[in-house]
Amino acid sequence: MAPIQQTYNVGGVMLAQPFKIRRLGHFGFNVSNMEPSVHFYRDLLGFKVSDILDFKQISGLGDALQHVEDARGYFFHRGHDHHTLVLFPTKVMDVFMAAGGGGGGGGGGEVTINQITWQTGTLAEVVNGAHFFRDQGVPIQRVGRDMPGSNWHVYPIDPDGHVNELYYGIEQKGWLGRSKPLDMYYRGFNEEPSLPQMSEEMEVEEAIQKGIDIYSGFRDESNLPSTYEVEGVMLPRPFAVTKIGPVDLFVKEMEASLEFYINKLGFKVTEEEEYRGHRLVFLRHGAEHHSLALFPKALREELGCNSHTTLASFGIEVGSYSQLRNAVGFLKEKGIAFKEMPGELHPGIDYTAYAQDPEGHLIQLYYYMEQLGWDGKPRPKMLRRQVSGEWPETLEPLSDTYMDQVYQGPLG
């Protein structure tokens, strides 16, 4: 696949796109039954609710959603970002898609993902990215700024209908754990923003001058006692989530998907695998082995995966190998089912387990991701740790053990 000529100035460096993805910022599912999904991600995995959005309160949607008994969407966080995970009701997103509007939403049908959200470094990258996508003929769902969360964004759509999002900035939750109050939502935008915009600090100061109580936002309260010691800290479960990703997708046409994610979003191929004659491609945006993997949809049935979603798996990293072992035991005790998946589907990750959420999505739990060096080459297969049989209580370190950790606490 021929690379695009490097023509765009991104912070003084010439790149093939006018932006550079820094990380997977957040991710979202559309769910048909909200209560068990909230229980799974909040009570069992430990994500905290940042805000609850009643879509019936959004202008122009109330009448269209009268048939939906509960139209609330949930925003969750695991650190200081306003949200790391979102759950939206499938019936609400079906209305959104029929109306052709809204941020997020997903492609409908088998696409149960409502957003795959990648963070850029600046607001200019988001705006320039929107122009780039239009010039390249990439369909865009919208450009603007949503509340809750306050992140500026553009939503390009991949060939399978997966809604990706490039965003800059996101509301930060401080030690109080409170979100922005509703009265500060006046800074939302439904169109491409003009540049420059005021800083977040200036927005807070403006809100204070308007007489807004900046400490009146939503705060989640745990309904579980902190009975587990997690490496020196008491928590409600014997592990802590430190990062999300990778995202693994089943796609219809591999070449079309690769063209989108490489030439449009700027990913690089780390390596390819083969499983039962199927081509598996692993892509990265930074130094970790992969943040995205593409599998042919024909493999889905052979693996016995849920036929109602194009998601192969969604990764969730915990803080250590010990926490991973404890997380698997904890979830099994709570009645969560696990599915065995072949090692070819996760090169660069040694010990891992795939839990099934209430909607049948596979959640890949792991503690370690192989890191690439300056030459951009992955570790040779023969030098990777071999996993088989029972998991030992402890492991010998690898040269890059714990080097992918970016969230250093507090754990709760």
Side-chain angles (χ1 to χ4, degrees):
M1 184 176 298
I4 297 176
Q5 184 179 0
Q6 295 183 349
T7 56
Y8 298 95
N9 184 334
V10 181
V13 178
M14 301 305 293
L15 300 178
Q17 295 81 22
F19 54 84
K20 177 64 175 73
I21 289 174
R22 307 302 205 272
R23 64 166 180 153
L24 178 69
H26 46 274
F27 183 87
F29 288 116
N30 297 333
V31 300
S32 57
N33 194 351
M34 186 63 72
E35 185 175 350
S37 291
V38 169
H39 171 68
F40 178 82
Y41 288 102
R42 179 176 183 257
D43 299 332
L44 299 187
L45 290 185
F47 290 92
K48 294 182 179 181
V49 177
S50 302
D51 271 305
I52 303 173
L53 175 64
D54 188 345
F55 285 92
K56 289 184 179 181
Q57 303 302 316
I58 296 178
S59 177
L61 285 179
D63 292 340
L65 294 175
Q66 288 305 310
H67 68 290
V68 180
E69 183 177 352
D70 186 353
R72 291 177 297 174
Y74 289 77
F75 295 77
F76 299 86
H77 69 104
R78 59 107 191 130
H80 302 300
D81 285 354
H82 177 273
H83 54 276
T84 309
L85 176 77
V86 296
L87 299 178
F88 293 157
T90 298
K91 291 181 179 178
V92 170
M93 293 301 104
D94 287 345
V95 171
F96 259 43
M97 294 306 297
E110 296 176 342
V111 178
T112 58
I113 299 168
N114 61 55
Q115 55 192 283
I116 309 171
T117 303
W118 311 100
Q119 186 172 20
T120 66
T122 66
L123 177 54
E125 290 176 59
V126 171
V127 174
N128 293 337
H131 299 168
F132 172 78
F133 295 134
R134 292 191 184 104
D135 292 343
Q136 294 288 318
V138 175
I140 296 175
Q141 194 173 78
R142 63 168 294 182
V143 183
R145 188 194 198 195
D146 273 346
M147 304 289 184
S150 305
N151 45 304
W152 305 88
H153 51 222
V154 55
Y155 289 96
I157 303 173
D158 83 358
D160 286 88
H162 299 114
V163 177
N164 285 261
E165 176 188 4
L166 294 187
Y167 80 100
Y168 155 75
I170 193 166
E171 175 187 326
Q172 296 294 292
K173 298 174 69 68
W175 65 272
L176 285 174
R178 291 195 180 276
S179 299
K180 279 184 179 179
L182 291 174
D183 289 342
M184 288 187 67
Y185 283 18
Y186 66 90
R187 283 284 295 165
F189 288 76
N190 293 317
E191 65 282 326
E192 180 181 313
S194 59
L195 299 180
Q197 291 286 326
M198 70 169 68
S199 68
E200 188 81 4
E201 182 179 7
M202 292 175 64
E203 287 188 6
V204 174
E205 184 60 34
E206 183 178 89
I208 294 174
Q209 296 302 318
K210 288 177 176 287
I212 294 174
D213 181 0
I214 62 173
Y215 299 110
S216 61
F218 182 88
R219 180 178 182 271
D220 194 14
E221 296 183 11
S222 176
N223 58 352
L224 298 175
S226 295
T227 57
Y228 296 92
E229 180 185 348
V230 183
E231 299 174 67
V233 179
M234 298 302 295
L235 298 178
R237 53 201 62 78
F239 62 93
V241 173
T242 54
K243 189 169 64 178
I244 62 169
V247 176
D248 298 349
L249 302 174
F250 291 116
V251 299
K252 290 183 294 187
E253 297 182 12
M254 182 65 73
E255 289 303 323
S257 294
L258 287 173
E259 199 282 332
F260 174 84
Y261 285 104
I262 294 173
N263 288 337
K264 302 304 188 292
L265 291 192
F267 285 85
K268 296 182 181 299
V269 174
T270 301
E271 71 176 286
E272 297 193 17
E273 276 275 8
E274 183 177 304
Y275 180 72
R276 294 182 180 177
H278 296 283
R279 182 187 181 195
L280 316 176
V281 184
F282 300 86
L283 304 102
R284 70 183 188 278
H285 62 78
E288 61 186 3
H289 181 279
H290 66 279
S291 46
L292 178 72
L294 303 178
F295 307 149
K297 190 176 286 187
L299 181 59
R300 183 175 59 182
E301 183 176 356
E302 292 187 35
L303 291 171
C305 293
N306 187 348
S307 62
H308 301 296
T309 180
T310 53
L311 179 78
S313 66
F314 171 57
I316 290 180
E317 183 188 73
V318 298
S320 68
Y321 173 66
S322 295
Q323 290 183 40
L324 174 62
R325 295 177 76 245
N326 293 336
V328 172
F330 173 82
L331 293 173
K332 286 183 175 179
E333 288 177 0
K334 300 298 182 181
I336 299 303
F338 282 76
K339 182 176 177 57
E340 292 291 332
M341 297 290 275
E344 289 86 348
L345 271 63
H346 52 256
I349 298 175
D350 51 19
Y351 287 89
T352 185
Y354 293 82
Q356 293 181 301
D357 83 356
E359 300 277 322
H361 300 117
L362 289 183
I363 306 304
Q364 182 187 16
L365 302 173
Y366 71 103
Y367 82 101
Y368 160 80
M369 172 75 79
E370 180 180 307
Q371 302 295 290
L372 275 67
W374 63 268
D375 60 355
K377 295 180 180 179
R379 176 182 278 118
K381 293 181 182 180
M382 70 286 298
L383 298 181
R384 288 180 176 148
R385 195 195 309 271
Q386 300 300 307
V387 177
S388 62
E390 294 293 322
W391 291 10
E393 184 174 348
T394 61
L395 301 173
E396 291 299 316
L398 299 173
S399 62
D400 51 356
T401 295
Y402 295 148
M403 287 190 179
D404 64 333
Q405 298 289 327
V406 294
Y407 179 66
Q408 300 298 332
L411 296 182

